[in-house]
Amino acid sequence: MDFQKELRLKQKLVNQRLEKIIDENDAPVRIVEAMKYSLLAGGKRIRPILSISICQALGGKIDDVLDFACAIEFIHTYSLIHDDLPAMDNDDLRRGKPTNHVVFGEAMAILAGDGLLNYAFEIMLKEAVDKNKFFYLKAADIVAKAAGIKGMIGGQVIDLESEGKKIDIDTLNKMHRKKTGALIEASCLCGCIIAQKEDMTEAVKEYGKNLGIAFQIVDDILDYVGDPKKLGKNTGIDIKNNKSTYVSILGIEKSKKLAEEYSLNARNNAKTIDKSGFLLNLTDYLLNRES
Ligand code: GRG
């Protein structure tokens, strides 16, 4: 199947499942509204698509991985809501819409983020309990660590502490391996674990690592040269917040070259996976994306 068509089909599948999962609860209406607002506002759905595609490439079934993959998108959405808060990046546009706190107020936005994070673990643990499969617990453990203080939150802390300072490329790499890379790597690993192909763990892990850094370098480049309309978010945020980025340290051209290098490494990792056609195209799409 044509790559763009397959990507759109996978995005549609994830979107439909996200909506079904979030509707399956009797929580107070306002918190569900706030959670749904950001969760269903669009977004590329890269993390669940990585879990699904790696699981499929390794012979796993889509039904075994879909809910778990959606749980990772719940966590990603929580991180975006909290990242946009006045106490963090203080942003007012995300996924082409006013940010969560602009619409629902700061208190509800914090709770919506917390709600999405907790709900993600409900979903992952439900898979483990209902299907009585230990490998879901292993995958949930990976996600917990990737989203936590050793991963995404830890990276955000380094980011906060680096504001207004000049940091070197090694510190920047360390920060982004955690802040952006950890959840991308975990999304890939979960696909592998749910497919029960543990012998492929190392290759998949390396793929996720390289892809995660390439993804972040492109994100930094788009913050400088991207089109806010296509991105659905404001640009120039890193400069406004006085942050060191790949572009501020290396300049645009060297950043592009570095993104290409990491992306090529990711491609080479992906080639060791059985049916890697979609993953190779996805790697290229993420390198050349405009949103
Ligand atoms: C716990 C208060 C509190 C805050 C946590 C962890 C955190 C806030 C923020 C870090 C997460 C973050 C925003 C990382 C940046 C990663 C990144 C490049 C996000 C954009 O991802 P895309 O391009 O977005 O996949 P879409 O909208 O397509 O899903």
Side-chain angles (χ1 to χ4, degrees):
M1 195 192 304
D2 160 57
F3 168 72
Q4 284 295 339
K5 195 171 171 194
E6 190 170 348
L7 180 65
R8 278 196 296 277
L9 270 178
K10 284 182 168 155
Q11 284 167 333
K12 190 172 168 197
L13 182 73
V14 168
N15 287 336
Q16 285 172 341
R17 194 60 199 151
L18 286 171
E19 188 160 11
K20 181 114 183 29
I21 293 173
I22 188 80
D23 280 338
E24 274 168 4
N25 74 76
D26 56 359
V29 173
R30 193 69 179 150
I31 184 83
V32 178
E33 269 175 15
M35 288 161 71
K36 276 179 87 166
Y37 175 80
S38 294
L39 188 69
L40 305 180
K44 296 178 289 296
R45 312 308 193 196
I46 290 312
R47 295 153 191 81
I49 287 175
L50 279 167
S51 304
I52 291 167
S53 306
I54 287 176
C55 186
Q56 282 183 314
L58 294 174
K61 290 199 214 89
I62 205 151
D63 283 351
D64 290 339
V65 70
L66 182 58
D67 283 12
F68 204 98
C70 287
I72 296 176
E73 185 67 18
F74 271 62
I75 294 178
H76 169 59
T77 307
Y78 124 75
S79 82
L80 299 181
I81 295 176
H82 280 193
D83 196 48
D84 291 333
L85 285 169
M88 299 277 171
D89 272 3
N90 193 17
D91 224 325
D92 58 10
L93 188 69
R94 172 73 71 178
R95 292 178 165 173
K97 292 169 82 174
T99 43
N100 201 287
H101 64 271
V102 169
V103 178
F104 294 92
E106 228 177 303
M108 193 57 75
I110 292 170
L111 290 172
D114 294 341
L116 287 162
L117 177 61
N118 274 278
Y119 209 61
F121 282 93
E122 286 182 40
I123 299 164
M124 290 186 280
L125 295 175
K126 187 173 187 311
E127 288 292 272
V129 172
D130 287 1
K131 294 177 181 165
N132 194 19
K133 296 282 189 209
F134 180 71
F135 60 76
Y136 285 116
L137 289 179
K138 272 182 104 168
D141 179 52
I142 286 172
V143 174
K145 286 179 178 136
I149 55 172
K150 293 180 222 158
M152 185 172 70
I153 291 177
Q156 180 77 354
V157 172
I158 300 175
D159 195 355
L160 280 178
E161 289 183 333
S162 305
E163 258 176 43
K165 293 183 194 155
K166 271 211 177 325
I167 57 171
D168 59 24
I169 194 83
D170 291 341
T171 312
L172 192 73
N173 276 332
K174 186 177 158 202
M175 176 174 100
H176 286 309
R177 281 200 191 288
K178 290 173 181 287
K179 185 179 160 183
T180 305
L183 198 60
I184 289 181
E185 188 185 315
S187 306
C188 296
L189 275 175
C190 288
C192 178
I193 286 168
I194 294 169
Q196 298 179 74
K197 279 284 164 63
E198 302 234 354
D199 56 316
M200 290 304 291
T201 306
E202 268 319 301
V204 169
K205 199 176 169 151
E206 282 309 304
Y207 172 72
K209 263 198 184 126
N210 285 314
L211 189 74
I213 290 292
F215 185 85
Q216 181 59 50
I217 301 171
V218 173
D219 198 73
D220 282 2
I221 295 171
L222 290 173
D223 190 58
Y224 275 75
V225 300
D227 175 357
K229 280 209 184 79
K230 285 185 186 158
L231 287 166
K233 60 181 179 182
N234 299 315
T235 51
I237 298 301
D238 297 329
I239 306 171
K240 190 186 98 188
N241 291 333
N242 215 352
K243 287 188 179 184
S244 293
T245 67
Y246 285 97
V247 178
S248 74
I249 295 176
L250 300 174
I252 292 274
E253 285 315 310
K254 276 194 182 154
S255 298
K256 279 187 182 163
K257 281 238 151 13
L258 194 63
E260 280 164 15
E261 275 173 35
Y262 277 105
S263 187
L264 184 64
N265 290 343
R267 270 187 140 265
N268 288 333
N269 302 135
K271 280 182 188 161
T272 65
I273 298 170
D274 269 356
K275 296 174 205 137
S276 60
F278 181 82
L279 287 175
L280 293 174
N281 285 326
L282 187 66
T283 311
D284 293 343
Y285 155 79
L286 291 177
L287 178 68
N288 299 313
R289 71 199 162 97
E290 295 183 330
S291 68

